[in-house]
Amino acid sequence: MLDWLPQNVSTFGSEIDKFFYVIYYITTTVFFLVTAAMIYFLVKYRFQEGKPARYYHGNNTLEIVWTSATLVAMLILAVASKPLWSKIKQNPPPAEVIIKVTGKQYNWEVLYPGPDGAFGTDDDYQVDNNVHVPVNKVVHVLLGSIDVIHSFFVPQLRLKQDAVPGREIVAWFEVTEAGSYEIPCAELCGFGHSGMLGRLIVHSPEEYEQWVGQTWPDN
Amino acid sequence: MSEATAVKEHISHEHHGFMNTYIFSLDHKMIGKQFLLLGLIMLLLGGGLALLVRWQLAYPEQPLPLIGASQHYLETGEAETAMDSYWDSELSKTEDEQGWLVQKMPVGIITPAFYNALFTMHATIMVFFVVMPILVGAFGNYLIPLMIGTRDMAFPLLNMLSFWIAVVSGAIMLAGFFVPGGHAATGWTGYPPLSTDPAWTGVDWGQNLWCISLIVLGISSLMGSINYITTIINMRAPGMTYMRMPMVIWALFIVAILLLLALPVLTAALAMLVFDRLAGTTFFNPAGGGDPLLWQHLFWFFGHPEVYILILPGMGITSEILPVFSRKPIFGYKAMVLAMASLAFLSWIVWGHHMFQSGMNPSMGMTFMITTMVIAVPSAIKTFNWLGTLWGGSIRFTVPMLNSLAFVSMFVIGGLSGIFMASSAVDIFIHDTYYIVAHIHYVVFGGSIFAIFAGVYYWFPKMFGRMMNEPLAKVHFWLSFIAFNCTFFPMHILGVGGHMRRIYNPMQYEFLQQFEHMNIFITMSAFALGLTQLILLFNVFHSMFRGKKAGDNPWNANTLEWTAATPPPHGNFDAIPTVHHAPYEYSAPGISEDWLSQTNELQPTNGNGH
């Protein structure tokens, strides 16, 4: 099943995948054990003439064992997930590139700060749907929305963050492979939700310089 | 009041005549059946909407079978079939004169706006008008008085009102399909700002009616839950201590408490939404100082207990049926009760896991991740105890048993898949994908609906005095079980591939094109699953009139409902029964039968007690 995961091209994506794999193996094992036990009981304890059921009400030791075992396993899983979650959502590494992405029915409005590096100045460069970034750089996306809630989703980056009107939320990523990736909207945003689709174009450093030179306004 | 006068008093309530017996009945059993009928009708509708959704996902923007226009017509504009002529004449009219159908699906192709209304109403109907009315309304009303040994609910009039208010709510909900602008199209979760301003969706009164309907339904739920709680606390038969109550009564008791506390939160949120829409308030509008996330907090604070409202009665029904057909006591009765109580408690403090990617302060992520992981513990306790109940049994594979076993194994899959999104980091990827859709359907269809099947097959003989047709029921079970898994298991794979939920056309995305065939497979399985349910409906209505006559206790079960006549008369029991022991004393030593009604003493030889 895990073969269906899209190729991962972000720094933290492989760590998410690792967790996915761990949980997958744990849950699959539990599923097969439970199912095997169930089938075994169903066959072994099927109705047979002259073989009565056991008059048995339960076992407190067993209850305590499986309660605490599950509790410990779940707590370990939660605590182990925490550092990765903090890394992705709470403590982004310092930005090397900053862009603004604003959702609006049914486009991603992308704003680059221009040569002066500041938003809200004359040299800002704005375009719909195409997010150009350099490879191997920490990119901060200042995410907002002007109408309804959208969600910025890049499957190959394992990145998803809702864009909420009235808030500016910082999402970040670092792409490890140049290429072109789709940015679907993942939160229902109206009848044009399907097909609200941006594109993340990840350039090599030289290509990125070239793109900046060609498209950004001069200072 | 003596027993005899009480009976007389009660029987004097019995009004004759069609209206009072079948329509405005005060009898809990009739009200239970009315809820069952309401739920089954809505099941057809809700399922039908899902099939339309599935058609669009497998064959995006292609005309529907049977009612769609022919390929020839689409290419040349020449009408070939009767439907072609219909579409042709409709399309030549002005927009005001066009019929309902052509506005929603011109030439048989579902429009994006109607598609959004379809999945919104599929979920709304299934959650509020199928699973809740059947599991809580039908089984709750029918079973509580019979299983705790009393003559009726504490407040029969409130009970009748509760049903008819639910019908009014359903009528308001259905009216939404026919108002200009179409029905609510913002998902069953109705997130603002999408839901607050008609400008964002083009939907005006559809969304208003959706809100009003659910507010009205909240009143119905409130009446029902007060009734259940009062009845269970005050009206248990002599000897029916809390720890002798059948598991399904415990489940319904806990659910009633959840309903009492959770529904008002939804009602409050809905009222705010209506004010935002109609009165210009800005609870959810940041421009006026409001916050869209406030809705999500309120909705999921209601929504997660709601999930347990949908599944706990199913757990109760399963816990009821497994001991009967294993012919042995339930494993760990107290642990099972405690597990349900802790599920109910924990359900109040996990809502944030629906909002990991919402923009909620991410430091809340850890808190909600821990509480969510912990909720796996009572679920695991339940599963292990169900296995323990099978262990050492003498298992009969009756139809109720098969459906209960399906409940257990499907609930295991649904529970385990939940661990993925409980981990907030993994949730980043699978949030809002088909992984979630797969998970919810394993819990609510694999869980709740199979429990409904189990419960209907199990209590039908008591309800209608006739057995259901068993071969037909087995065919229905196996086809449902297979088609269910073929429909919903591949959705996990879609989710792993990143397939978003609520999209109109997956083929618009390069990375989803590889899933075209899987979507077609899922749709075919879904149609098979839908058609299979016609077998159940036929069996229910056929057996109601033509089934084999059932005895009072066809399954040799212990609980009190089986000591009443079949079907039970108004007032249920000749004399209020006295309860002597716990509900699952099967295969007790020293007793010739392998069952022992709760009304019989456990050790009849020990006359002096001890």
Side-chain angles (χ1 to χ4, degrees):
Chain A
M1 179 149 92
L2 299 172
D3 297 341
W4 293 95
L5 275 170
Q7 175 209 10
N8 165 60
V9 295
S10 85
T11 48
F12 54 68
S14 56
E15 293 177 64
I16 291 185
D17 288 357
K18 206 166 70 194
F19 261 97
F20 201 106
Y21 278 67
V22 170
I23 298 178
Y24 177 74
Y25 290 127
I26 295 176
T27 51
T28 309
T29 312
V30 172
F31 172 73
F32 280 112
L33 288 177
V34 167
T35 307
M38 189 163 154
I39 292 173
Y40 175 72
F41 290 166
L42 292 180
V43 174
K44 176 143 193 234
Y45 300 112
R46 70 190 183 278
F47 165 70
Q48 284 160 303
E49 208 61 61
K51 205 178 138 198
R54 255 167 244 190
Y55 183 67
Y56 192 80
H57 286 87
N59 181 318
N60 285 338
T61 319
L62 265 179
E63 300 286 350
I64 292 165
V65 168
W66 62 46
T67 305
S68 19
T70 318
L71 186 64
V72 169
M74 298 316 289
L75 286 178
I76 290 175
L77 211 53
V79 172
S81 295
K82 157 80 173 148
L84 180 57
W85 170 253
S86 304
K87 180 176 159 182
I88 300 171
K89 294 280 180 170
Q90 274 175 294
N91 311 310
E96 292 169 285
V97 174
I98 302 183
I99 53 171
K100 254 187 197 186
V101 174
T102 308
K104 58 170 191 196
Q105 285 183 333
Y106 301 101
N107 286 295
W108 297 110
E109 201 172 78
V110 188
L111 189 68
Y112 302 86
D116 68 353
F119 290 106
T121 52
D122 287 343
D123 67 350
D124 289 1
Y125 171 68
Q126 189 188 316
V127 66
D128 272 356
N129 293 326
N130 287 341
V131 181
H132 292 264
V133 295
V135 74
N136 293 323
K137 295 272 187 225
V138 175
V139 179
H140 280 203
V141 180
L142 311 181
L143 207 52
S145 168
I146 56 168
D147 41 41
V148 300
I149 299 175
H150 302 272
S151 190
F152 188 84
F153 179 32
V154 191
Q156 288 85 349
L157 303 188
R158 311 290 187 262
L159 172 68
K160 188 179 289 128
Q161 176 60 57
D162 286 3
V164 183
R167 296 182 181 223
E168 188 174 84
I169 299 167
V170 182
W172 74 277
F173 57 83
E174 183 181 340
V175 193
T176 55
E177 226 170 283
S180 165
Y181 310 100
E182 287 170 294
I183 315 176
C185 173
E187 184 70 61
L188 176 65
C189 61
F191 66 82
H193 165 57
S194 188
M196 174 167 170
L197 185 59
R199 194 159 275 283
L200 177 71
I201 300 133
V202 184
H203 299 285
S204 65
E206 307 78 49
E207 256 181 37
Y208 183 70
E209 284 310 314
Q210 210 183 346
W211 173 80
V212 166
Q214 279 170 3
T215 47
W216 286 16
D218 294 327
N219 224 350
Chain B
M1 189 158 46
S2 77
E3 179 71 11
T5 37
V7 176
K8 226 159 94 193
E9 191 108 320
H10 195 89
I11 289 170
S12 70
H13 286 172
E14 187 177 9
H15 304 288
H16 294 286
F18 181 81
M19 284 300 268
N20 290 325
T21 313
Y22 294 103
I23 311 292
F24 299 110
S25 173
L26 299 180
D27 188 307
H28 72 99
K29 297 181 292 297
M30 182 51 67
I31 296 170
K33 290 177 190 173
Q34 289 172 329
F35 269 113
L36 183 63
L37 189 67
L38 172 71
L40 289 178
I41 292 170
M42 292 302 237
L43 179 68
L44 275 183
L45 178 63
L49 300 181
L51 294 183
L52 290 175
V53 168
R54 278 315 317 173
W55 174 265
Q56 166 63 21
L57 285 168
Y59 306 102
E61 297 171 63
Q62 292 181 34
L64 286 155
L66 304 178
I67 65 162
S70 67
Q71 205 57 40
H72 180 78
Y73 175 75
L74 294 180
E75 278 161 17
T76 62
E78 295 166 23
E80 201 179 47
T81 64
M83 281 317 290
D84 289 348
S85 327
Y86 168 76
W87 294 119
D88 203 52
S89 73
E90 280 291 317
L91 287 170
S92 61
K93 292 178 186 165
T94 63
E95 217 168 290
D96 295 342
E97 289 173 342
Q98 280 177 349
W100 186 84
L101 207 56
V102 74
Q103 290 172 14
K104 308 296 173 191
M105 43 179 104
V107 302
I109 297 172
I110 296 163
T111 65
F114 188 52
Y115 176 81
N116 288 0
L118 284 175
F119 66 71
T120 300
M121 294 320 298
H122 162 66
T124 303
I125 287 176
M126 287 302 195
V127 167
F128 293 104
F129 295 99
V130 176
V131 178
M132 282 171 79
I134 297 183
L135 276 183
V136 185
F139 289 121
N141 270 306
Y142 194 85
L143 297 178
I144 290 174
L146 277 168
M147 292 182 88
I148 65 172
T150 185
R151 299 198 181 282
D152 207 317
M153 283 287 183
F155 310 112
L157 182 64
L158 209 57
N159 210 12
M160 183 264 278
L161 286 174
S162 157
F163 173 74
W164 284 105
I165 289 174
V167 172
V168 170
S169 160
I172 297 172
M173 190 57 90
L174 296 186
F177 280 108
F178 304 102
V179 295
H183 214 324
T186 56
W188 84 283
T189 50
Y191 280 10
L194 192 64
S195 57
T196 44
D197 192 337
W200 306 134
T201 51
V203 175
D204 193 0
W205 269 90
Q207 191 78 47
N208 294 342
L209 291 176
W210 181 84
C211 294
I212 294 165
S213 164
L214 292 183
I215 290 174
V216 172
L217 190 68
I219 300 171
S220 158
S221 281
L222 201 62
M223 289 176 163
S225 55
I226 290 171
N227 218 342
Y228 291 6
I229 293 169
T230 313
T231 307
I232 292 173
I233 291 180
N234 287 327
M235 297 171 67
R236 281 168 289 125
M240 179 62 86
T241 61
Y242 283 110
M243 283 299 155
R244 284 177 180 173
M245 289 200 313
M247 291 298 296
V248 72
I249 301 300
W250 263 113
L252 289 163
F253 185 41
I254 291 168
V255 162
I257 297 170
L258 286 179
L259 276 172
L260 181 70
L261 301 175
L263 258 291
V265 180
L266 177 68
T267 304
L270 289 165
M272 291 156 95
L273 190 57
V274 170
F275 280 127
D276 269 17
R277 291 180 63 83
L278 297 177
T281 56
T282 54
F283 291 110
F284 307 123
N285 180 356
D291 187 347
L293 291 198
L294 172 61
W295 166 269
Q296 295 184 28
H297 281 293
L298 290 170
F299 184 84
W300 290 116
F301 188 71
F302 144 78
H304 210 82
E306 170 70 17
V307 173
Y308 288 89
I309 290 168
L310 301 178
I311 195 71
L312 278 169
M315 292 177 162
I317 289 172
T318 297
S319 304
E320 211 52 48
I321 290 173
L322 290 185
V324 174
F325 297 108
S326 302
R327 311 310 293 165
K328 82 185 263 282
I330 198 164
F331 197 96
Y333 176 94
K334 271 188 192 155
M336 293 290 250
V337 172
L338 283 174
M340 287 204 288
S342 30
L343 274 177
F345 173 75
L346 287 169
S347 75
W348 294 104
I349 51 172
V350 295
W351 81 91
H353 67 220
H354 296 274
M355 298 172 64
F356 283 147
Q357 320 311 331
S358 69
M360 173 182 73
N361 185 337
S363 54
M364 299 291 280
M366 183 64 184
T367 316
F368 284 116
M369 177 160 53
I370 289 184
T371 54
T372 305
M373 291 279 185
V374 169
I375 212 164
V377 176
S379 311
I381 296 175
K382 306 236 42 130
T383 306
F384 290 136
N385 280 298
W386 286 323
L387 287 182
T389 304
L390 297 176
W391 171 81
S394 172
I395 298 167
R396 326 285 157 111
F397 294 96
T398 60
V399 178
M401 185 66 167
L402 290 174
N403 281 284
S404 295
L405 293 169
F407 170 93
V408 174
S409 53
M410 297 303 96
F411 175 74
V412 167
I413 296 181
L416 290 171
S417 70
I419 296 174
F420 288 80
M421 42 271 203
S423 167
S424 54
V426 174
D427 181 70
I428 297 174
F429 179 62
I430 54 179
H431 182 77
D432 271 332
T433 67
Y434 261 80
Y435 205 88
I436 310 296
V437 179
H439 167 72
I440 187 70
H441 284 93
Y442 264 87
V443 177
V444 175
F445 196 135
S448 312
I449 302 270
F450 274 100
I452 287 175
F453 294 160
V456 167
Y457 286 123
Y458 182 64
W459 281 294
F460 187 92
K462 183 56 65 178
M463 285 181 162
F464 298 100
R466 290 171 187 272
M467 303 299 287
M468 287 180 76
N469 181 308
E470 190 168 351
L472 216 49
K474 285 200 166 153
V475 171
H476 167 251
F477 167 74
W478 284 110
L479 288 180
S480 294
F481 187 72
I482 293 165
F484 165 80
N485 281 292
C486 289
T487 304
F488 294 106
F489 198 82
M491 289 187 186
H492 291 106
I493 297 171
L494 294 183
V496 170
H499 195 307
M500 293 81 69
R501 58 195 289 205
R502 295 173 172 173
I503 51 171
Y504 172 66
N505 183 352
M507 298 305 283
Q508 288 169 313
Y509 305 86
E510 283 164 26
F511 77 108
L512 297 182
Q513 287 179 3
Q514 56 171 332
F515 292 118
E516 187 184 7
H517 296 291
M518 201 174 285
N519 267 323
I520 290 173
F521 175 77
I522 291 174
T523 295
M524 289 177 164
S525 309
F527 274 82
L529 184 59
L531 288 176
T532 303
Q533 302 323 308
L534 299 179
I535 303 177
L536 174 71
L537 286 181
F538 172 79
N539 201 349
V540 164
F541 290 107
H542 185 261
S543 306
M544 220 179 260
F545 304 105
R546 295 278 166 80
K548 203 173 75 194
K549 288 259 187 214
D552 287 349
N553 191 358
W555 312 114
N556 289 339
N558 290 356
T559 39
L560 295 181
E561 77 273 30
W562 305 107
T563 64
T566 288
H570 190 68
N572 298 341
F573 303 97
D574 297 338
I576 292 293
T578 302
V579 173
H580 292 284
H581 56 84
Y584 307 110
E585 299 303 312
Y586 291 97
S587 304
I591 291 164
S592 54
E593 306 283 342
D594 66 353
W595 59 284
L596 181 68
S597 171
Q598 280 192 284
T599 54
N600 293 339
E601 285 183 54
L602 193 50
Q603 286 145 315
T605 46
N606 193 351
N608 299 329
H610 32 136

